[in-house]
Short mmCIF file of all heavy atoms in Angstrom, two decimals:
data_model
loop_
_atom_site.label_atom_id
_atom_site.label_comp_id
_atom_site.label_asym_id
_atom_site.label_seq_id
_atom_site.Cartn_x
_atom_site.Cartn_y
_atom_site.Cartn_z
N MET A 1 8.06 7.86 3.03
CA MET A 1 6.90 7.31 2.32
C MET A 1 7.35 6.29 1.29
O MET A 1 8.24 6.56 0.48
CB MET A 1 6.15 8.43 1.57
CG MET A 1 5.29 9.27 2.50
SD MET A 1 3.92 8.33 3.14
CE MET A 1 2.83 9.69 3.53
N PRO A 2 6.76 5.13 1.31
CA PRO A 2 7.15 4.09 0.33
C PRO A 2 6.50 4.33 -1.03
O PRO A 2 5.40 3.90 -1.29
CB PRO A 2 6.64 2.80 0.97
CG PRO A 2 5.48 3.22 1.81
CD PRO A 2 5.74 4.65 2.21
N ILE A 3 7.20 5.05 -1.85
CA ILE A 3 6.69 5.26 -3.21
C ILE A 3 7.39 4.28 -4.14
O ILE A 3 8.61 4.25 -4.21
CB ILE A 3 6.94 6.70 -3.68
CG1 ILE A 3 6.21 7.67 -2.77
CG2 ILE A 3 6.49 6.86 -5.13
CD1 ILE A 3 6.43 9.13 -3.15
N PHE A 4 6.59 3.49 -4.81
CA PHE A 4 7.16 2.50 -5.72
C PHE A 4 6.83 2.85 -7.16
O PHE A 4 5.78 3.42 -7.44
CB PHE A 4 6.61 1.11 -5.41
CG PHE A 4 7.04 0.60 -4.06
CD1 PHE A 4 6.15 0.53 -3.02
CD2 PHE A 4 8.35 0.20 -3.85
CE1 PHE A 4 6.54 0.06 -1.77
CE2 PHE A 4 8.75 -0.27 -2.62
CZ PHE A 4 7.84 -0.34 -1.58
N GLU A 5 7.72 2.46 -8.01
CA GLU A 5 7.47 2.61 -9.44
C GLU A 5 6.96 1.28 -9.98
O GLU A 5 7.48 0.23 -9.64
CB GLU A 5 8.74 3.01 -10.17
CG GLU A 5 9.23 4.39 -9.79
CD GLU A 5 10.58 4.68 -10.43
OE1 GLU A 5 10.99 3.94 -11.33
OE2 GLU A 5 11.23 5.64 -10.00
N TYR A 6 5.97 1.37 -10.80
CA TYR A 6 5.41 0.17 -11.40
C TYR A 6 5.44 0.28 -12.91
O TYR A 6 5.38 1.36 -13.47
CB TYR A 6 3.96 -0.03 -10.94
CG TYR A 6 3.85 -0.54 -9.53
CD1 TYR A 6 3.83 0.35 -8.47
CD2 TYR A 6 3.79 -1.89 -9.27
CE1 TYR A 6 3.75 -0.11 -7.17
CE2 TYR A 6 3.70 -2.37 -7.97
CZ TYR A 6 3.68 -1.47 -6.92
OH TYR A 6 3.60 -1.91 -5.65
N HIS A 7 5.50 -0.87 -13.51
CA HIS A 7 5.46 -0.95 -14.96
C HIS A 7 4.33 -1.90 -15.34
O HIS A 7 4.29 -3.04 -14.89
CB HIS A 7 6.80 -1.47 -15.49
CG HIS A 7 6.81 -1.70 -16.97
ND1 HIS A 7 7.09 -0.71 -17.87
CD2 HIS A 7 6.57 -2.83 -17.68
CE1 HIS A 7 7.02 -1.21 -19.10
NE2 HIS A 7 6.71 -2.49 -19.02
N CYS A 8 3.41 -1.40 -16.14
CA CYS A 8 2.30 -2.24 -16.57
C CYS A 8 2.73 -3.10 -17.74
O CYS A 8 3.24 -2.59 -18.75
CB CYS A 8 1.11 -1.37 -16.97
SG CYS A 8 -0.25 -2.35 -17.64
N ASN A 9 2.55 -4.41 -17.61
CA ASN A 9 2.95 -5.32 -18.67
C ASN A 9 1.93 -5.39 -19.79
O ASN A 9 2.17 -5.97 -20.83
CB ASN A 9 3.19 -6.71 -18.09
CG ASN A 9 4.37 -6.72 -17.13
OD1 ASN A 9 5.44 -6.23 -17.44
ND2 ASN A 9 4.15 -7.25 -15.94
N THR A 10 0.78 -4.82 -19.56
CA THR A 10 -0.27 -4.88 -20.56
C THR A 10 -0.20 -3.69 -21.52
O THR A 10 -0.17 -3.85 -22.73
CB THR A 10 -1.65 -4.90 -19.87
OG1 THR A 10 -1.71 -6.04 -19.02
CG2 THR A 10 -2.76 -4.98 -20.90
N CYS A 11 -0.14 -2.49 -20.98
CA CYS A 11 -0.13 -1.31 -21.84
C CYS A 11 1.22 -0.60 -21.80
O CYS A 11 1.38 0.45 -22.42
CB CYS A 11 -1.25 -0.35 -21.46
SG CYS A 11 -1.01 0.49 -19.87
N LYS A 12 2.16 -1.18 -21.06
CA LYS A 12 3.53 -0.65 -20.99
C LYS A 12 3.64 0.70 -20.30
O LYS A 12 4.64 1.38 -20.42
CB LYS A 12 4.16 -0.55 -22.40
CG LYS A 12 3.98 -1.77 -23.25
CD LYS A 12 4.57 -3.00 -22.61
CE LYS A 12 4.42 -4.22 -23.52
NZ LYS A 12 4.74 -5.46 -22.83
N LYS A 13 2.61 1.08 -19.61
CA LYS A 13 2.67 2.36 -18.91
C LYS A 13 3.50 2.22 -17.64
O LYS A 13 3.48 1.19 -16.99
CB LYS A 13 1.25 2.80 -18.56
CG LYS A 13 1.20 4.15 -17.86
CD LYS A 13 -0.23 4.48 -17.47
CE LYS A 13 -0.29 5.80 -16.71
NZ LYS A 13 0.04 6.94 -17.60
N GLU A 14 4.19 3.29 -17.30
CA GLU A 14 4.90 3.32 -16.03
C GLU A 14 4.24 4.34 -15.12
O GLU A 14 3.86 5.43 -15.56
CB GLU A 14 6.37 3.68 -16.27
CG GLU A 14 7.08 2.60 -17.06
CD GLU A 14 8.59 2.81 -17.05
OE1 GLU A 14 9.04 3.88 -16.65
OE2 GLU A 14 9.30 1.87 -17.45
N PHE A 15 4.09 3.97 -13.88
CA PHE A 15 3.42 4.88 -12.95
C PHE A 15 3.98 4.68 -11.56
O PHE A 15 4.66 3.70 -11.27
CB PHE A 15 1.90 4.64 -12.97
CG PHE A 15 1.49 3.22 -12.65
CD1 PHE A 15 1.09 2.89 -11.36
CD2 PHE A 15 1.52 2.24 -13.62
CE1 PHE A 15 0.71 1.59 -11.05
CE2 PHE A 15 1.15 0.94 -13.31
CZ PHE A 15 0.74 0.62 -12.03
N GLU A 16 3.68 5.62 -10.70
CA GLU A 16 4.14 5.55 -9.32
C GLU A 16 2.95 5.44 -8.40
O GLU A 16 1.90 6.01 -8.64
CB GLU A 16 4.95 6.80 -8.97
CG GLU A 16 6.24 6.91 -9.74
CD GLU A 16 7.00 8.16 -9.35
OE1 GLU A 16 6.43 9.02 -8.65
OE2 GLU A 16 8.16 8.28 -9.73
N ARG A 17 3.15 4.67 -7.34
CA ARG A 17 2.07 4.53 -6.37
C ARG A 17 2.63 4.58 -4.96
O ARG A 17 3.70 4.06 -4.69
CB ARG A 17 1.38 3.17 -6.56
CG ARG A 17 0.30 3.18 -7.63
CD ARG A 17 -0.90 4.00 -7.25
NE ARG A 17 -1.48 3.56 -5.99
CZ ARG A 17 -2.45 2.67 -5.88
NH1 ARG A 17 -2.95 2.11 -6.94
NH2 ARG A 17 -2.90 2.34 -4.70
N LEU A 18 1.91 5.20 -4.11
CA LEU A 18 2.19 5.08 -2.68
C LEU A 18 1.63 3.75 -2.23
O LEU A 18 0.45 3.47 -2.41
CB LEU A 18 1.49 6.20 -1.92
CG LEU A 18 2.30 7.44 -1.58
CD1 LEU A 18 1.39 8.46 -0.92
CD2 LEU A 18 3.44 7.10 -0.66
N VAL A 19 2.46 2.92 -1.65
CA VAL A 19 2.01 1.59 -1.28
C VAL A 19 2.15 1.39 0.22
O VAL A 19 3.23 1.51 0.78
CB VAL A 19 2.82 0.51 -2.01
CG1 VAL A 19 2.31 -0.86 -1.63
CG2 VAL A 19 2.72 0.71 -3.52
N PHE A 20 1.06 1.10 0.85
CA PHE A 20 1.08 0.84 2.28
C PHE A 20 1.07 -0.66 2.53
O PHE A 20 0.79 -1.45 1.63
CB PHE A 20 -0.13 1.51 2.94
CG PHE A 20 -0.14 2.99 2.76
CD1 PHE A 20 -0.91 3.58 1.79
CD2 PHE A 20 0.66 3.80 3.56
CE1 PHE A 20 -0.91 4.97 1.60
CE2 PHE A 20 0.67 5.17 3.38
CZ PHE A 20 -0.12 5.75 2.41
N ALA A 21 1.35 -1.02 3.74
CA ALA A 21 1.43 -2.44 4.08
C ALA A 21 0.13 -3.16 3.72
O ALA A 21 -0.95 -2.71 4.06
CB ALA A 21 1.71 -2.60 5.56
N GLY A 22 0.26 -4.28 3.03
CA GLY A 22 -0.90 -5.07 2.68
C GLY A 22 -1.53 -4.68 1.36
O GLY A 22 -2.46 -5.32 0.90
N GLU A 23 -1.00 -3.62 0.76
CA GLU A 23 -1.62 -3.16 -0.48
C GLU A 23 -0.88 -3.63 -1.73
O GLU A 23 -1.33 -3.38 -2.84
CB GLU A 23 -1.65 -1.63 -0.51
CG GLU A 23 -2.78 -1.04 0.29
CD GLU A 23 -3.03 0.41 -0.11
OE1 GLU A 23 -2.06 1.10 -0.39
OE2 GLU A 23 -4.21 0.81 -0.14
N GLU A 24 0.21 -4.30 -1.51
CA GLU A 24 1.05 -4.62 -2.66
C GLU A 24 0.36 -5.48 -3.70
O GLU A 24 0.64 -5.39 -4.88
CB GLU A 24 2.34 -5.29 -2.19
CG GLU A 24 3.26 -4.31 -1.50
CD GLU A 24 4.71 -4.77 -1.55
OE1 GLU A 24 5.08 -5.41 -2.54
OE2 GLU A 24 5.44 -4.50 -0.60
N GLY A 25 -0.53 -6.34 -3.24
CA GLY A 25 -1.19 -7.23 -4.19
C GLY A 25 -2.38 -6.59 -4.88
O GLY A 25 -3.01 -7.21 -5.71
N LYS A 26 -2.67 -5.34 -4.51
CA LYS A 26 -3.86 -4.70 -5.06
C LYS A 26 -3.54 -3.65 -6.10
O LYS A 26 -4.42 -2.93 -6.54
CB LYS A 26 -4.65 -4.03 -3.93
CG LYS A 26 -5.07 -4.97 -2.82
CD LYS A 26 -5.94 -4.19 -1.85
CE LYS A 26 -5.85 -4.74 -0.44
NZ LYS A 26 -6.52 -3.84 0.50
N ILE A 27 -2.26 -3.55 -6.41
CA ILE A 27 -1.88 -2.50 -7.35
C ILE A 27 -2.34 -2.85 -8.76
O ILE A 27 -2.08 -3.93 -9.27
CB ILE A 27 -0.35 -2.33 -7.36
CG1 ILE A 27 0.15 -2.04 -5.95
CG2 ILE A 27 0.04 -1.21 -8.32
CD1 ILE A 27 -0.47 -0.82 -5.30
N ILE A 28 -3.06 -1.93 -9.34
CA ILE A 28 -3.49 -2.11 -10.73
C ILE A 28 -3.06 -0.91 -11.55
O ILE A 28 -2.81 0.17 -11.03
CB ILE A 28 -5.01 -2.30 -10.84
CG1 ILE A 28 -5.74 -1.08 -10.29
CG2 ILE A 28 -5.46 -3.58 -10.15
CD1 ILE A 28 -7.22 -1.09 -10.55
N CYS A 29 -3.00 -1.12 -12.84
CA CYS A 29 -2.61 -0.04 -13.74
C CYS A 29 -3.71 1.01 -13.78
O CYS A 29 -4.89 0.68 -13.94
CB CYS A 29 -2.38 -0.62 -15.13
SG CYS A 29 -2.08 0.63 -16.37
N PRO A 30 -3.36 2.28 -13.63
CA PRO A 30 -4.36 3.34 -13.67
C PRO A 30 -4.94 3.56 -15.06
O PRO A 30 -5.98 4.18 -15.21
CB PRO A 30 -3.60 4.59 -13.20
CG PRO A 30 -2.17 4.29 -13.53
CD PRO A 30 -2.01 2.79 -13.38
N ASP A 31 -4.26 3.04 -16.04
CA ASP A 31 -4.72 3.24 -17.42
C ASP A 31 -5.67 2.15 -17.88
O ASP A 31 -6.74 2.41 -18.39
CB ASP A 31 -3.50 3.28 -18.35
CG ASP A 31 -3.25 4.69 -18.86
OD1 ASP A 31 -3.56 5.65 -18.11
OD2 ASP A 31 -2.77 4.83 -19.98
N CYS A 32 -5.24 0.90 -17.68
CA CYS A 32 -6.02 -0.20 -18.24
C CYS A 32 -6.55 -1.14 -17.15
O CYS A 32 -7.15 -2.15 -17.45
CB CYS A 32 -5.18 -0.98 -19.25
SG CYS A 32 -3.79 -1.86 -18.50
N GLN A 33 -6.29 -0.78 -15.89
CA GLN A 33 -6.78 -1.57 -14.76
C GLN A 33 -6.26 -3.00 -14.74
O GLN A 33 -6.84 -3.88 -14.11
CB GLN A 33 -8.32 -1.59 -14.72
CG GLN A 33 -8.91 -0.37 -14.03
CD GLN A 33 -8.78 0.88 -14.89
OE1 GLN A 33 -9.15 0.86 -16.05
NE2 GLN A 33 -8.25 1.94 -14.34
N SER A 34 -5.15 -3.23 -15.40
CA SER A 34 -4.57 -4.56 -15.38
C SER A 34 -3.83 -4.81 -14.07
O SER A 34 -3.26 -3.89 -13.48
CB SER A 34 -3.59 -4.70 -16.55
OG SER A 34 -2.87 -5.91 -16.42
N LYS A 35 -3.88 -6.04 -13.62
CA LYS A 35 -3.11 -6.40 -12.43
C LYS A 35 -1.73 -6.91 -12.80
O LYS A 35 -0.94 -7.25 -11.93
CB LYS A 35 -3.85 -7.51 -11.65
CG LYS A 35 -5.11 -7.01 -10.98
CD LYS A 35 -5.74 -8.15 -10.19
CE LYS A 35 -7.03 -7.69 -9.53
NZ LYS A 35 -7.70 -8.82 -8.86
N ASP A 36 -1.48 -6.99 -14.06
CA ASP A 36 -0.19 -7.50 -14.52
C ASP A 36 0.84 -6.38 -14.51
O ASP A 36 1.22 -5.84 -15.53
CB ASP A 36 -0.35 -8.07 -15.92
CG ASP A 36 0.90 -8.81 -16.38
OD1 ASP A 36 1.78 -9.08 -15.53
OD2 ASP A 36 1.01 -9.11 -17.58
N VAL A 37 1.22 -6.00 -13.30
CA VAL A 37 2.18 -4.93 -13.15
C VAL A 37 3.43 -5.43 -12.43
O VAL A 37 3.36 -6.35 -11.62
CB VAL A 37 1.59 -3.73 -12.38
CG1 VAL A 37 0.40 -3.13 -13.13
CG2 VAL A 37 1.17 -4.14 -10.98
N THR A 38 4.54 -4.83 -12.76
CA THR A 38 5.81 -5.20 -12.15
C THR A 38 6.32 -4.05 -11.29
O THR A 38 6.39 -2.91 -11.75
CB THR A 38 6.84 -5.52 -13.24
OG1 THR A 38 6.34 -6.57 -14.06
CG2 THR A 38 8.16 -5.97 -12.60
N LYS A 39 6.66 -4.37 -10.08
CA LYS A 39 7.18 -3.33 -9.20
C LYS A 39 8.65 -3.09 -9.50
O LYS A 39 9.42 -4.03 -9.65
CB LYS A 39 7.01 -3.74 -7.74
CG LYS A 39 7.47 -2.66 -6.79
CD LYS A 39 7.03 -2.94 -5.39
CE LYS A 39 7.83 -4.08 -4.79
NZ LYS A 39 7.50 -4.26 -3.35
N LYS A 40 9.01 -1.85 -9.54
CA LYS A 40 10.41 -1.50 -9.74
C LYS A 40 10.92 -0.85 -8.46
O LYS A 40 10.17 -0.22 -7.73
CB LYS A 40 10.57 -0.53 -10.91
CG LYS A 40 9.90 -1.05 -12.17
CD LYS A 40 10.46 -0.41 -13.41
CE LYS A 40 10.33 1.08 -13.42
NZ LYS A 40 10.88 1.67 -14.66
N MET A 41 12.19 -1.03 -8.23
CA MET A 41 12.76 -0.45 -7.02
C MET A 41 13.01 1.04 -7.20
O MET A 41 13.58 1.48 -8.18
CB MET A 41 14.09 -1.13 -6.69
CG MET A 41 13.87 -2.51 -6.11
SD MET A 41 12.99 -2.44 -4.54
CE MET A 41 12.74 -4.18 -4.25
N SER A 42 12.58 1.78 -6.23
CA SER A 42 12.87 3.20 -6.22
C SER A 42 14.00 3.46 -5.23
O SER A 42 13.82 3.32 -4.03
CB SER A 42 11.62 3.98 -5.83
OG SER A 42 11.92 5.35 -5.81
N ALA A 43 15.14 3.79 -5.76
CA ALA A 43 16.34 3.91 -4.92
C ALA A 43 16.17 4.97 -3.85
O ALA A 43 16.62 4.80 -2.72
CB ALA A 43 17.53 4.24 -5.79
N VAL A 44 15.49 6.02 -4.18
CA VAL A 44 15.34 7.13 -3.24
C VAL A 44 14.55 6.69 -2.01
O VAL A 44 14.89 7.01 -0.88
CB VAL A 44 14.62 8.31 -3.92
CG1 VAL A 44 14.43 9.45 -2.93
CG2 VAL A 44 15.43 8.79 -5.12
N SER A 45 13.53 5.90 -2.23
CA SER A 45 12.66 5.49 -1.14
C SER A 45 13.37 4.57 -0.16
O SER A 45 12.98 4.47 0.99
CB SER A 45 11.43 4.77 -1.69
OG SER A 45 10.75 5.63 -2.57
N PHE A 46 14.41 3.90 -0.63
CA PHE A 46 15.04 2.91 0.21
C PHE A 46 16.28 3.42 0.93
O PHE A 46 16.91 2.70 1.67
CB PHE A 46 15.42 1.68 -0.62
CG PHE A 46 14.23 0.79 -0.85
CD1 PHE A 46 13.65 0.70 -2.08
CD2 PHE A 46 13.70 0.06 0.21
CE1 PHE A 46 12.55 -0.11 -2.29
CE2 PHE A 46 12.61 -0.75 0.02
CZ PHE A 46 12.03 -0.84 -1.23
N MET A 47 16.61 4.65 0.71
CA MET A 47 17.78 5.18 1.39
C MET A 47 17.54 5.21 2.89
O MET A 47 16.61 5.83 3.38
CB MET A 47 18.11 6.58 0.88
CG MET A 47 18.78 6.54 -0.48
SD MET A 47 19.35 8.17 -1.00
CE MET A 47 20.74 8.40 0.06
N GLY A 48 18.36 4.50 3.61
CA GLY A 48 18.23 4.48 5.06
C GLY A 48 17.16 3.53 5.55
O GLY A 48 16.83 3.51 6.72
N ALA A 49 16.65 2.72 4.66
CA ALA A 49 15.60 1.80 5.06
C ALA A 49 16.17 0.46 5.54
O ALA A 49 15.44 -0.43 5.89
CB ALA A 49 14.65 1.56 3.89
N GLY A 50 17.46 0.36 5.57
CA GLY A 50 18.08 -0.87 6.04
C GLY A 50 18.10 -1.96 5.00
O GLY A 50 18.44 -3.08 5.29
N LEU A 51 17.71 -1.60 3.81
CA LEU A 51 17.73 -2.58 2.75
C LEU A 51 19.00 -2.37 1.95
O LEU A 51 19.08 -1.52 1.10
CB LEU A 51 16.51 -2.40 1.85
CG LEU A 51 16.15 -3.66 1.06
CD1 LEU A 51 14.97 -4.35 1.74
CD2 LEU A 51 15.75 -3.32 -0.36
N SER A 52 20.00 -3.15 2.25
CA SER A 52 21.32 -2.90 1.67
C SER A 52 21.44 -3.53 0.30
O SER A 52 22.24 -4.42 0.07
CB SER A 52 22.41 -3.41 2.59
OG SER A 52 22.23 -4.78 2.82
N LYS A 53 20.57 -3.11 -0.58
CA LYS A 53 20.66 -3.59 -1.95
C LYS A 53 21.43 -2.56 -2.75
O LYS A 53 20.86 -1.67 -3.37
CB LYS A 53 19.27 -3.78 -2.53
CG LYS A 53 19.28 -4.49 -3.86
CD LYS A 53 17.89 -5.02 -4.20
CE LYS A 53 17.95 -5.85 -5.47
NZ LYS A 53 16.69 -6.53 -5.72
N CYS A 54 22.71 -2.67 -2.69
CA CYS A 54 23.57 -1.66 -3.30
C CYS A 54 23.43 -1.67 -4.81
O CYS A 54 23.42 -2.72 -5.44
CB CYS A 54 25.02 -1.89 -2.93
SG CYS A 54 25.41 -1.27 -1.30
N ALA A 55 23.33 -0.48 -5.35
CA ALA A 55 23.25 -0.36 -6.79
C ALA A 55 24.64 -0.36 -7.37
O ALA A 55 25.30 0.65 -7.46
CB ALA A 55 22.51 0.92 -7.17
N THR A 56 25.10 -1.53 -7.72
CA THR A 56 26.43 -1.62 -8.29
C THR A 56 26.33 -1.58 -9.80
O THR A 56 26.19 -2.60 -10.46
CB THR A 56 27.13 -2.92 -7.84
OG1 THR A 56 26.24 -4.01 -8.08
CG2 THR A 56 27.47 -2.87 -6.36
N GLY A 57 26.36 -0.38 -10.28
CA GLY A 57 26.32 -0.20 -11.73
C GLY A 57 24.98 -0.57 -12.33
O GLY A 57 24.91 -1.06 -13.44
N SER A 58 23.91 -0.35 -11.58
CA SER A 58 22.59 -0.65 -12.14
C SER A 58 22.26 0.38 -13.22
O SER A 58 22.54 1.55 -13.07
CB SER A 58 21.55 -0.61 -11.04
OG SER A 58 21.43 0.68 -10.53
N PRO A 59 21.63 -0.09 -14.27
CA PRO A 59 21.31 0.83 -15.37
C PRO A 59 20.25 1.84 -14.97
O PRO A 59 19.30 1.52 -14.24
CB PRO A 59 20.78 -0.12 -16.45
CG PRO A 59 20.31 -1.32 -15.70
CD PRO A 59 21.23 -1.43 -14.50
N LYS A 60 20.44 3.04 -15.41
CA LYS A 60 19.48 4.08 -15.10
C LYS A 60 18.69 4.42 -16.36
O LYS A 60 18.96 5.40 -17.04
CB LYS A 60 20.19 5.30 -14.54
CG LYS A 60 20.71 5.08 -13.14
CD LYS A 60 21.20 6.36 -12.52
CE LYS A 60 21.65 6.12 -11.08
NZ LYS A 60 22.21 7.30 -10.46
N GLY A 61 17.76 3.60 -16.64
CA GLY A 61 16.97 3.84 -17.85
C GLY A 61 15.78 4.73 -17.59
O GLY A 61 15.05 5.09 -18.48
N PHE A 62 15.60 5.11 -16.34
CA PHE A 62 14.46 5.95 -16.01
C PHE A 62 14.92 7.37 -15.75
O PHE A 62 15.83 7.60 -14.98
CB PHE A 62 13.77 5.39 -14.77
CG PHE A 62 12.50 6.12 -14.43
CD1 PHE A 62 11.34 5.81 -15.10
CD2 PHE A 62 12.49 7.09 -13.45
CE1 PHE A 62 10.16 6.47 -14.78
CE2 PHE A 62 11.32 7.76 -13.15
CZ PHE A 62 10.16 7.44 -13.81
N SER A 63 14.28 8.31 -16.37
CA SER A 63 14.70 9.69 -16.15
C SER A 63 13.49 10.51 -15.74
O SER A 63 12.45 10.38 -16.31
CB SER A 63 15.32 10.27 -17.41
OG SER A 63 14.39 10.24 -18.46
ZN1 ZN B 1 -1.81 -0.75 -18.19
#
């Protein structure tokens, strides 16, 4: 399941969404309904997905 992490640039909230094909442009913040959200990579979701974006010392600021 493609679960992505998003960060709202308006209220600074972080949230997760299941995103299906074609829905990426429709993601809004659940708190303030802003469309100004930034998608963050979820490493777990991409394991084995053929996306070889190796995390070479990427910061883990999310817990
Ligand atoms: Zn927001």
Side-chain angles (χ1 to χ4, degrees):
M1 283 292 203
I3 299 179
F4 294 107
E5 293 174 14
Y6 285 87
H7 174 86
C8 175
N9 295 310
T10 301
C11 70
K12 313 301 182 191
K13 182 183 178 68
E14 295 192 347
F15 57 97
E16 294 180 348
R17 276 291 304 268
L18 263 176
V19 181
F20 300 99
E23 280 198 323
E24 288 204 32
K26 303 185 208 171
I27 304 302
I28 60 172
C29 173
D31 252 31
C32 67
Q33 276 73 50
S34 171
K35 290 182 182 176
D36 189 13
V37 298
T38 302
K39 183 168 73 174
K40 307 202 302 180
M41 285 297 174
S42 179
V44 178
S45 302
F46 280 108
M47 284 187 73
L51 202 101
S52 58
K53 189 163 186 171
C54 280
T56 50
S58 65
K60 288 189 177 176
F62 186 82
S63 60

